[in-house]
Amino acid sequence: MSLIITPIPAFTDNYIWALVNDTNKQAIVIDPGQAQPVADYLEQYGLELTAIWITHHHHDHVGGVAELRELYPMTHVVASAEHGVKPDQVVKEGSSVSAWGYTAQVWAVPGHTESHLAYVLDKEGHKQVFCGDTLFSAGCGRVFTGTIEQLHDSFKRFNKLPDNTLFYPAHEYTAANLKFGLSIEPDNAAMQQCLTEVESMTDLGQSSLPVTLAHEKQVNVFLRTQELSVIDGVQNQVTLADTKPLTVFAALRALKDEF
């Protein structure tokens, strides 16, 4: 079978990620904040919705679940008990979910929210991470019901994955995040080049995602907290109590909140 992973745009900058089995014409969607874009996509390609995976409870990630259940009654909803939907399968850290012979491990990656999950799918030996709003390309999620310490720990966990791991964030925030990154590391050539490329892509209505971990290590300041250029860039804007990675990470998130 051929497993296709593709973004379905929703709202102004959300992506509902779709996993499509091109052999049996079935689909799984992740974080459907709206039902209509999903229904339109399924109709366009003659697909049957079989499952919904949820990363966290925010409305722009779960708002379409109820309507999709009505449209596709056989849909199997996978979520945490804290995600504000009625899951057919309750998952948490250590759980796994299956997709046509593939397996995704469920990771607890709190920070943005207390109960945020990621789905780590192994596809032909390469990991594909559906990370919701925990990691964005060149950025990270704002802290709401989680803590900055949790978010930092979630990033450290992601950072231990293989460099060729692909991340599928739920928002097209890449250009804005790169502009923030350049306010910290103005001489980062990888960021400069990436911003030019991303702006060209988004101008054409193309997605800047997914991204590899290797790429993020070059352009995501939240993964670069031990780099002297990042530490200096933060200290040019705020006074740090120390230069420990968590301290730098927290300062970066506070600066991004005001950027």
Side-chain angles (χ1 to χ4, degrees):
M1 62 157 282
S2 174
L3 180 63
I4 299 165
I5 303 173
T6 189
I8 302 172
F11 299 108
T12 56
D13 53 33
N14 280 68
Y15 290 132
I16 301 165
W17 288 103
L19 282 64
V20 177
N21 182 331
D22 204 33
T23 301
N24 65 10
K25 297 298 182 182
Q26 292 181 340
I28 295 167
V29 296
I30 300 168
D31 288 354
Q34 288 180 301
Q36 196 60 52
V38 175
D40 291 345
Y41 178 83
L42 297 172
E43 182 178 358
Q44 180 180 356
Y45 293 101
L47 302 171
E48 172 196 3
L49 184 65
T50 59
I52 295 170
W53 300 352
I54 299 299
T55 67
H56 66 293
H57 70 276
H58 287 161
H59 181 74
D60 64 322
H61 293 255
V62 300
V65 173
E67 187 177 342
L68 287 171
R69 269 184 150 151
E70 289 182 11
L71 292 170
Y72 308 95
M74 300 305 291
T75 299
H76 183 81
V77 176
V78 175
S80 158
E82 292 79 34
H83 287 168
V85 298
K86 293 180 180 178
D88 299 296
Q89 180 181 354
V90 177
V91 290
K92 58 184 179 180
E93 169 68 35
S95 300
S96 63
V97 291
S98 59
W100 314 293
Y102 295 96
T103 299
Q105 301 300 319
V106 180
W107 284 16
V109 287
H112 177 66
T113 66
E114 177 78 29
S115 58
H116 201 298
L117 301 176
Y119 297 87
V120 183
L121 179 75
D122 200 294
K123 179 175 179 276
E124 279 83 50
H126 293 152
K127 295 191 183 302
Q128 326 279 319
V129 182
F130 301 94
C131 51
D133 287 1
T134 299
L135 179 146
F136 299 126
S137 184
C140 71
R142 189 182 291 260
V143 175
F144 286 103
T145 57
T147 67
I148 194 68
E149 292 82 6
Q150 288 175 330
L151 188 59
H152 183 242
D153 284 344
S154 295
F155 260 61
K156 286 196 294 183
R157 188 175 187 186
F158 282 155
N159 207 19
K160 293 175 183 176
L161 286 165
D163 276 355
N164 65 358
T165 299
L166 280 171
F167 284 87
Y168 296 81
H171 289 273
E172 184 57 72
Y173 288 165
T174 311
N177 287 335
L178 287 165
K179 289 172 184 175
F180 170 70
L182 286 166
S183 77
I184 303 297
E185 288 189 281
D187 298 325
N188 185 314
M191 279 189 206
Q192 294 167 354
Q193 180 181 346
C194 186
L195 179 58
T196 300
E197 293 171 356
V198 167
E199 288 182 329
S200 296
M201 292 170 74
T202 53
D203 284 347
L204 295 171
Q206 299 172 351
S207 173
S208 68
L209 307 170
V211 286
T212 65
L213 179 59
H215 171 78
E216 288 303 295
K217 286 178 177 179
Q218 292 184 298
V219 304
N220 192 324
V221 288
F222 294 94
L223 287 170
R224 297 171 55 78
T225 53
Q226 291 174 295
E227 298 291 333
L228 290 177
S229 52
V230 173
I231 295 169
D232 289 346
V234 172
Q235 288 181 317
N236 285 339
Q237 299 189 41
V238 295
T239 301
L240 294 175
D242 55 66
T243 57
K244 294 176 182 176
L246 173 58
T247 305
V248 177
F249 187 93
L252 284 166
R253 186 60 258 181
L255 286 168
K256 180 64 170 68
D257 287 347
E258 302 300 324
F259 185 75

